[in-house]
Amino acid sequence: MIGSKWIFVLLALCVAILSVFAIWHPKTDIWYVYGAVLLSGVLLVLLFRSVVMPKLTVMRGMELISSQDFNNRLTNVGEHDADRIVNLFNMMIDRLRNERLRNLEQDSFLSLLIKASPMGVAMLDFDGRFTMANEAFLRITGSGREKDIIGRSLPDLCSELCGEMMKVPVGESRVVRRGDVRTYRCYHLSFVQTGFSREFYLIESLTEEVMKAEREAYEKVIRTISHEVNNTMGGVRSVLETIQDVVDDDEIRKVLESCDNRCSQMCGFISSYADVVRVPDPVLSKVDLNGELSRLLPFLRGMVPERISLEAHIAAEPVNALIDSALIEQVVINVVKNAFESITGTEGKIVVSVLRKNGNPAIEICNNGAPISDEVSQQLFRPFFTTKREGRGLGLTLVCEILNRHKAQYSLRTYPDGMTRFSIEFSSPGKEYALR
């Protein structure tokens, strides 16, 4: 194709020279001049169609590509080589448009998938700053709105969970348990973009799955142990009572009574664990937490030792919550009991408050007792975990079971001001509230 175009160019130049020579030469025949001019015109038209038009077509196509206009198409001009360029360009434009449309559809689908995902997703730029975070990530980390973290790095976010995320190496995952019942699996991954590694985080909530597995495990164990121990102790006590009736020796009788008493204590010990399994489902009703605390306060004051002051902070307005009053009273009593047992000094202080947190009705119980260490914080709310020498871990296990059945959020941790706070958030009336 290139060779034929240069032949047209040379031929057109030759005819043009001959035409000029014929026109200006005085002895040239007029018909020769007309023939030369006509031939020159024909060659120039062929030259335009074979050289200029393909060039103009290519330039027009380059302008469309440069402006990323993939919707327009070039039209055939009736010249073989130019039309080949037009068809090739149109085919390329169709492929680019389809590829671009496919990428846009995939990006749109991926964006919707990330926004709707229950997993927290956050993207970082090449400098480690946030460029995107979905609602789940913002809710789990408590980072507020997306625009509040865009352009910031992970260390800039004052969050306990973000601090744990920073410890996860790139390409690995780690299970993180905060100072409450919530458990997460954090992924720190990366992908290559424009030849550089770009990092992102995924946060998956394991709270409900872990709680369900733990509950099913200890319920099965407790029921099995309770059944075997009670049946065995029942038979043993029956035999002991029979022997007591026929024995006249006082010493032997005392030994038998001691054994019977020990069997009774063993049954009571096992029953205390079984009570945790038999926590009834809450019967929810609209309750003002201010009135609930006011009714319970005299009992709490009588339960707390005199060396410890107990204060109650009632909200100025009614704080209504959907709760089972009897079960929540048991929660408050257990938490207050743990609070004064952690205070060893003579200037102990416990404060029970009714307030709103994140727009939800809440109860907060704080004390100035021994702080909770990081190691203990990771174990809190595990079934039957205790730091007391003779404790059985029933108090917090019962509290955890009741609050889980209320679908409440709760946490227990020591804050920088030295106060240890047990915070509970309930559902507002007419609002469904799930554990994050």
Side-chain angles (χ1 to χ4, degrees):
M1 182 181 71
I2 296 177
S4 63
K5 287 181 169 54
W6 283 111
I7 291 175
F8 276 122
V9 172
L10 294 176
L11 185 58
L13 289 176
C14 291
V15 173
I17 293 173
L18 291 175
S19 298
V20 173
F21 178 78
I23 292 172
W24 291 102
H25 197 279
K27 297 181 179 182
T28 304
D29 187 8
I30 188 64
W31 294 106
Y32 176 78
V33 174
Y34 290 157
V37 172
L38 179 61
L39 183 59
S40 298
V42 172
L43 290 175
L44 288 175
V45 171
L46 293 175
L47 178 63
F48 177 80
R49 294 187 62 183
S50 63
V51 178
V52 178
M53 290 185 66
K55 179 180 178 182
L56 293 177
T57 302
V58 172
M59 292 180 63
R60 173 59 178 161
M62 292 176 62
E63 291 176 358
L64 293 177
I65 294 177
S66 177
S67 61
Q68 296 187 0
D69 185 358
F70 301 144
N71 295 318
N72 292 324
R73 295 168 60 90
L74 299 180
T75 57
N76 291 329
V77 296
E79 200 277 327
H80 177 71
D81 291 336
D83 289 347
R84 287 181 60 189
I85 296 175
V86 168
N87 294 332
L88 179 62
F89 176 82
N90 289 338
M91 183 175 64
M92 181 179 65
I93 284 293
D94 289 340
R95 290 183 178 179
L96 289 174
R97 183 176 63 251
N98 293 335
E99 185 67 21
R100 184 181 187 184
L101 182 61
R102 188 175 68 87
N103 289 336
L104 289 175
E105 291 173 347
Q106 289 181 345
D107 290 344
S108 178
F109 175 73
L110 181 60
S111 178
L112 292 175
L113 192 63
I114 290 176
K115 289 182 179 180
S117 173
M119 293 184 64
V121 183
M123 301 288 297
L124 308 179
D125 60 15
F126 299 115
D127 296 321
R129 293 188 294 265
F130 286 100
T131 60
M132 184 278 295
N134 67 351
E135 290 295 329
F137 182 89
L138 299 174
R139 184 182 69 253
I140 291 173
T141 59
S143 303
R145 297 169 296 179
E146 184 178 17
K147 67 178 183 179
D148 296 332
I149 70 171
I150 297 300
R152 302 173 63 186
S153 59
L154 196 60
D156 297 334
L157 304 183
C158 299
S159 168
E160 178 186 358
L161 184 57
C162 291
E164 295 295 329
M165 290 168 55
M166 292 173 56
K167 302 176 183 178
V168 181
V170 179
E172 297 184 12
S173 65
R174 183 174 298 173
V175 175
V176 176
R177 186 157 188 163
R178 301 174 59 181
D180 52 25
V181 73
R182 288 170 284 184
T183 305
Y184 303 97
R185 182 182 296 278
C186 297
Y187 299 85
H188 187 187
L189 307 173
S190 65
F191 65 99
V192 177
Q193 184 179 32
T194 64
F196 295 93
S197 178
R198 186 173 175 183
E199 300 177 9
F200 65 98
Y201 285 94
L202 299 177
I203 307 178
E204 177 185 12
S205 177
L206 303 178
T207 302
E208 295 183 1
E209 290 80 0
V210 171
M211 289 166 50
K212 182 179 179 180
E214 290 178 344
R215 183 165 56 251
E216 290 177 350
Y218 72 68
E219 283 181 357
K220 183 176 181 179
V221 171
I222 288 176
R223 286 195 178 100
T224 301
I225 294 176
S226 178
H227 178 268
E228 294 298 327
V229 170
N230 287 333
N231 286 347
T232 302
M233 290 299 103
V236 171
R237 294 189 67 186
S238 177
V239 171
L240 291 176
E241 290 177 359
T242 302
I243 296 176
Q244 289 182 37
D245 293 338
V246 298
V247 171
D248 296 330
D249 192 324
D250 290 338
E251 291 297 327
I252 296 178
R253 190 183 295 275
K254 289 180 181 180
V255 172
L256 294 175
E257 289 178 355
S258 177
C259 291
D260 182 67
N261 183 56
R262 183 62 189 133
C263 289
S264 176
Q265 291 179 355
M266 176 63 71
C267 291
F269 178 83
I270 295 299
S271 296
S272 64
Y273 282 95
D275 289 340
V276 177
V277 179
R278 292 194 293 264
V279 173
D281 290 329
V283 179
L284 302 179
S285 60
K286 181 180 176 180
V287 176
D288 180 12
L289 296 181
N290 289 326
E292 195 67 24
L293 178 59
S294 298
R295 286 191 295 272
L296 187 59
L297 192 58
F299 178 81
L300 296 178
R301 293 190 187 279
M303 182 179 68
V304 175
E306 294 183 358
R307 61 184 176 85
I308 299 174
S309 65
L310 176 66
E311 300 178 8
H313 293 171
I314 306 297
E317 299 179 353
V319 180
N320 296 318
L322 290 174
I323 63 172
D324 184 315
S325 297
L327 293 178
I328 296 304
E329 284 184 5
Q330 189 66 37
V331 168
V332 175
I333 291 172
N334 275 277
V335 174
V336 171
K337 180 175 180 294
N338 286 340
F340 72 70
E341 287 178 350
S342 69
I343 300 174
T344 56
T346 57
E347 297 181 359
K349 179 180 180 181
I350 299 175
V351 180
V352 184
S353 305
V354 174
L355 66 158
R356 287 192 176 273
K357 296 188 66 175
N358 303 317
N360 298 300
I363 295 177
E364 186 175 85
I365 303 172
C366 62
N367 67 84
N368 61 349
I372 300 175
S373 65
D374 293 338
E375 293 76 12
V376 172
S377 179
Q378 296 297 321
Q379 302 295 323
L380 286 175
F381 302 112
R382 290 189 181 276
F384 313 114
F385 170 78
T386 182
T387 57
K388 302 174 185 176
R389 178 173 299 179
E390 297 180 357
R392 289 177 285 173
L394 293 177
L396 278 184
T397 302
L398 179 63
V399 167
C400 183
E401 185 67 23
I402 293 174
L403 294 180
N404 289 342
R405 291 175 183 259
H406 278 76
K407 295 185 178 180
Q409 290 192 72
Y410 50 98
S411 64
L412 173 61
R413 66 188 65 169
T414 301
Y415 289 80
D417 61 359
M419 300 295 287
T420 299
R421 293 179 173 84
F422 195 116
S423 300
I424 309 170
E425 292 182 41
F426 298 101
S427 300
S428 299
K431 177 181 178 182
E432 184 179 355
Y433 196 59
L435 190 68
R436 304 198 282 234

